[in-house]
């Protein structure tokens, strides 16, 4: 863990040693990636890999906690990795300032115990779900728009994102965050939920019927949440993935810069 046994609170977390040995891949180092990486590091995860091709912009600073003014122009993956090491000097962190795509996705998934979707593109989220099914590596999906957010863990043998939403919506069907806006604290809240879903699985504490998952939906306007049981859809093409799907083009991927 990140500290001595006498002072580190992680020693009292059930299955802490198992969590410490875990390797987690976080795709995206922005509005979701920053809070989820913080919570996973606090939870005792031993290694985090951050993948993000984007650079820090001044507009990111109010809600993306690892990035500072002097980081503007740097790759987000590297800036976030430096922030994590400042807070957790004993943490193993790798920064990959590249896009996760069809050329590297399968290998990166297989090198980790779990993947967190902290991306901002709708089509990319479906791509990650397909790769998770193909590789059998669990994926924790998260999404935020305006004052609403949701999170879902995609386990091997369980429902995938296509069981829930069937297919990628047309680009003009989903407003971008630039159009609709995003509450920064909601991104932080969803990132924390994603971390909890991750730690639950990494600790071996995940329970529930095989073939079923729980979608967690949070409303920032009312501060209320609800859960939706999701089951595998009959004849779902996403659950029968046999080869790596093509990576979505920029025209297909509605962006939401959380």
């Amino acid at each position: 863990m990140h500290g001595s046994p006498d002072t580190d609170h992680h020693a009292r977390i059930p299955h802490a040693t198992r969590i410490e040995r875990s390797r987690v891949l976080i795709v995206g180092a922005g509005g979701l990636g920053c809070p989820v990486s913080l919570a996973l590091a606090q939870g005792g995860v031993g290694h985090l890999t951050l993948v993000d091709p984007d650079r820090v912009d001044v507009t990111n600073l109010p809600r993306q906690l690892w990035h500072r003014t002097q980081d503007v122009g740097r790759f987000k993956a590297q800036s976030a990795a430096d922030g994590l090491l400042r807070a957790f000097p004993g943490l193993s962190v790798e920064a990959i300032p590249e896009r996760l795509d069809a050329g590297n996705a399968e290998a990166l998934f297989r090198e980790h115990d779990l993947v967190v979707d902290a991306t901002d593109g709708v089509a990319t989220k479906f791509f990650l779900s397909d790769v998770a099914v193909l590789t059998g590596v669990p994926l924790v999906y998260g999404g935020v728009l305006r004052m609403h957010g949701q999170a879902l863990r995609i386990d091997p043998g369980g429902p995938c994102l296509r069981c829930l939403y069937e297919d990628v919506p047309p680009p003009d069907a989903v407003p971008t965050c630039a159009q609709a806006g995003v509450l920064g604290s909601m991104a932080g809240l969803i990132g924390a939920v994603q971390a909890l879903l991750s730690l639950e699985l990494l600790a071996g504490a995940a329970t529930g019927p095989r073939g079923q998952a729980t979608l967690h939906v949070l409303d920032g306007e009312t501060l209320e949440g609800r859960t939706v049981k999701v089951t595998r859809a009959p004849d779902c093409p996403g659950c029968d993935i046999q080869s790596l799907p093509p990576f979505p083009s920029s025209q297909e991927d509605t962006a939401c810069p959380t």
Side-chain angles (χ1 to χ4, degrees), residues 82-143:
D82 288 347
L84 280 161
L85 289 174
R86 286 194 301 270
F88 304 94
L91 180 66
S92 172
V93 184
E94 180 182 5
I96 302 179
E98 303 172 4
R99 185 176 301 281
L100 186 144
D101 57 23
N104 60 12
E106 186 173 355
L108 283 171
F109 266 63
R110 294 189 188 279
E111 291 171 0
H112 295 82
D113 300 296
L114 179 141
V115 179
V116 176
D117 168 17
T119 64
D120 53 21
V122 176
T124 297
K125 294 181 180 299
F126 280 83
F127 173 79
L128 295 179
S129 174
D130 292 341
V131 179
V133 173
L134 176 67
T135 60
V137 178
L139 172 72
V140 180
Y141 152 80

Side-chain angles (χ1 to χ4, degrees), residues 188-213:
L189 182 57
I190 293 299
V193 173
Q194 288 182 284
L196 286 171
L197 292 173
S198 301
L199 292 168
E200 178 185 52
L201 183 68
L202 295 173
T207 59
R210 183 175 175 83
Q212 186 177 96

Side-chain angles (χ1 to χ4, degrees), residues 48-51 77-78 81 93-97:
L48 297 176
T49 300
L50 308 176
V51 180
Q78 295 175 337
V93 184
E94 180 182 5
I96 302 179

Side-chain angles (χ1 to χ4, degrees), residues 141-220:
Y141 152 80
V144 180
L145 188 64
R146 298 188 179 97
M147 298 179 69
H148 302 83
Q150 53 187 260
L152 171 77
R153 191 177 65 235
I154 299 170
D155 295 325
C160 70
L161 199 58
R162 295 183 188 276
C163 292
L164 180 63
Y165 292 117
E166 294 188 4
D167 204 353
V168 183
D172 58 353
V174 180
T176 67
C177 289
Q179 296 169 332
V182 163
L183 184 65
S185 56
M186 177 54 68
L189 182 57
I190 293 299
V193 173
Q194 288 182 284
L196 286 171
L197 292 173
S198 301
L199 292 168
E200 178 185 52
L201 183 68
L202 295 173
T207 59
R210 183 175 175 83
Q212 186 177 96
T214 302
L215 177 69
H216 300 266
V217 182
L218 301 176
D219 186 338

Side-chain angles (χ1 to χ4, degrees), residues 45 61 75 116 149 172 242:
V45 171
L61 302 182
F75 283 111
V116 176
D172 58 353
Q242 300 296 320

